[in-house]
Amino acid sequence: ENNYKVQFWDTDTEDWKHYSSKNYKSESQIIANCKKTDNNDIILCHDHKITAEKIVPFYVNSREYNLVLPIYS
């Protein structure tokens, strides 16, 4: 009805684990996950402070990746 397309992610930053007491990952471990990204990958991130302060700048400032934002119609 709405012509939605299903999209799957390719790289999981595991950013949520930075806030987990059971599965904690350090900032450097999370950035290491980000470095596994290939161009054209869809990145899974969550709405957390580390995402805004570290993950997004990592991709935006990188010369290795082309950042493409989704277009909503």
Side-chain angles (χ1 to χ4, degrees), residues 2 18 20 27 32 39 41-42 46-47 51 58 65 68 71:
N2 292 319
H18 190 66
S20 171
E27 186 178 297
N39 260 330
D41 276 3
I42 295 174
H46 299 85
D47 187 13
T51 304
F58 168 79
Y65 307 104
V68 178
I71 298 172

Side-chain angles (χ1 to χ4, degrees), residues 41-43 56 59-60 66-72:
D41 276 3
I42 295 174
I43 314 303
V56 171
Y59 288 112
V60 168
N66 296 316
L67 182 64
V68 178
L69 301 175
I71 298 172
Y72 299 100

Side-chain angles (χ1 to χ4, degrees), residues 4-41:
Y4 292 129
K5 294 180 183 176
V6 175
Q7 297 289 327
F8 296 101
W9 48 266
D10 302 295
T11 301
D12 185 356
T13 63
E14 297 186 341
D15 55 342
W16 64 272
K17 290 184 178 181
H18 190 66
Y19 300 95
S20 171
S21 58
K22 196 174 194 180
N23 299 308
Y24 177 80
K25 283 205 171 202
S26 69
E27 186 178 297
S28 61
Q29 290 172 306
I30 292 167
I31 294 300
N33 284 347
C34 296
K35 290 179 179 178
K36 296 176 186 174
T37 304
D38 290 323
N39 260 330
N40 299 316
D41 276 3

